[in-house]
Amino acid sequence: MNEKESNLAFLGRYSCPVEATVDVIGGKWKSVIVYHLLDGTKRFNELKRLNKGITQRMLTLQLRELEASGIVHREIYRQIPPKVEYSLTEFGRSLEPLILFMRNWGLENMEKVLENREKHETNQS
């Protein structure tokens, strides 16, 4: 355990740095939202279209959690109709190498993962 890991343990919040990272971008949608925001600012409905299967309520919740962690910035434009845009903060941009690594891993390994799952399901029957 290095000094930074010791400091996190001292906080008593996380058992390891991976847990801290997962707390920020874990779950089904947060890392995907961050991935789509790497391309630039998006409005709510655009994020909803890009994240097929996410409900409006879940997208709102995930964006709020990312905003609370300092990853996403929400800009509200006082106009009629109201306009809200989401973008990554500088801190949020620090996740770019991790998110792109996850993207590349998915591109390289998803076929194998699906094959393994199919074999597993067949063996369970």
Side-chain angles (χ1 to χ4, degrees):
M1 185 181 297
N2 65 32
E3 186 178 336
K4 278 194 172 185
E5 288 180 278
S6 295
N7 289 341
L8 282 175
F10 176 76
L11 294 174
R13 173 97 190 226
Y14 303 108
S15 62
C16 72
V18 173
E19 184 183 357
T21 305
V22 170
D23 184 44
V24 175
I25 61 166
K28 183 174 181 178
W29 299 109
K30 288 181 188 173
S31 55
V32 178
I33 292 166
V34 171
Y35 172 72
H36 288 301
L37 289 174
L38 288 174
D39 290 339
T41 302
K42 306 273 188 293
R43 292 179 72 175
F44 184 89
N45 284 333
E46 187 175 2
L47 285 170
K48 186 151 178 5
R49 277 192 302 275
L50 289 168
N51 294 286
K52 296 183 186 341
I54 193 170
T55 64
Q56 183 168 331
R57 183 177 182 277
M58 181 57 70
L59 180 56
T60 299
L61 177 65
Q62 300 295 280
L63 285 166
R64 284 183 184 158
E65 289 179 12
L66 288 166
E67 185 180 9
S69 295
I71 304 301
V72 167
H73 171 72
R74 180 175 55 145
E75 184 72 33
I76 303 169
Y77 295 91
R78 307 282 181 210
Q79 63 185 46
I80 309 262
K83 177 179 161 183
V84 179
E85 292 182 335
Y86 297 90
S87 60
L88 291 177
T89 63
E90 186 176 332
F91 182 52
R93 285 240 162 243
S94 71
L95 291 166
E96 185 170 1
L98 175 61
I99 297 296
L100 292 178
F101 183 86
M102 290 169 62
R103 174 193 172 271
N104 293 338
W105 190 92
L107 287 170
E108 292 174 18
N109 295 291
M110 214 48 233
E111 188 174 330
K112 181 69 173 171
V113 169
L114 294 174
E115 287 173 11
N116 289 339
R117 287 179 181 172
E118 189 174 308
K119 286 178 191 173
H120 182 76
E121 288 175 10
T122 302
N123 291 337
Q124 296 297 315
S125 301

